[in-house]
Amino acid sequence: MDLSHAPVIQLSNVRLSYPSPEGDIDVLNGIDLSVAPGEIAAVTGPSGSGKSSLIAIIGGLEPLSGGAAHVLGTDLAASDERSRTLLRRRDIGIVFQAYHLVPSLTARQNAALPLTLAGQTDAEARAAEMLERVGLGHRLTHRPSALSGGEQQRVAVARAFVAGPRLVLADEPTGNLDRRTGAVVIETMFELARSSGTALLLVTHDPELAARCDRTLVIEDGRVVS
Ligand code: ADP
Ligand code: MG
């Protein structure tokens, strides 16, 4: 089978519930979703509808409660936490709303993390190249506290793409940024994804941004409604 054309994400009837004293809270109620290699898809929907939970399942951060999920050929329902972590490190980049950089590390060290964890000796040189590409070549040795929000998010974008993942997940990456700064971050992500053929799943509240993606999924109450 030629895996290069297989979907990077294939979800079928995916469910997620959290236990609570009053009974299980159902967060995802049967999600079907397929994303092709290189596709850029937007996910929108009201607050609390399950968008971040969906990203957590696909990124292997949460185990699913039911259904079937294959991400980059890995069967998530059959994977333990360790193998989900390995999949994420090897092949998935994630950008969060709140940047999630390591405060004690420089921009270059933060951007290099996926390569450093993989034992690549040229990690920092490749991170420096990626920071150049996102327009931060002059900020290599700054720590996150010395960077603006938009700069921190560009470091997070560099980190997400530095290891050449086949899939990048972004959960409201411009949610903490003003419009113009957010636009720079998004342009950077689109350019990196298109030039490397990386699939991108982008959670956003911004209809203009969603319209620029290949496709938009709307989620309500843990279901894809369109
Ligand atoms: P969105 O990103 O669309 O705003 P989330 O995926 O963050 O939505 O949350 C969906 C629902 O799941 C919300 O009702 C939220 O309260 C609930 N939820 C999220 N995480 C947990 C958790 N760890 N335990 C219990 N409920 C949770
Ligand atoms: Mg969310």
Side-chain angles (χ1 to χ4, degrees), residues 145-166:
S145 59
L147 297 171
S148 71
E151 288 171 338
Q152 289 185 62
Q153 195 62 304
R154 281 190 279 157
V155 175
V157 168
R159 177 180 61 186
F161 281 91
V162 77
R166 285 187 284 160

Side-chain angles (χ1 to χ4, degrees), residues 108-124 127 162:
R108 184 171 52 207
Q109 288 167 331
N110 267 289
L113 265 180
L115 299 171
T116 310
L117 288 169
Q120 304 274 338
T121 50
D122 58 349
E124 292 212 17
V162 77

Side-chain angles (χ1 to χ4, degrees), residues 18-19 25 27 45-54 62 171-172 203:
Y18 292 106
I25 301 169
V27 173
S47 188
S49 57
K51 304 179 299 296
S52 293
S53 302
L54 179 64
E62 283 282 349
D171 192 355
E172 302 194 38
V203 175

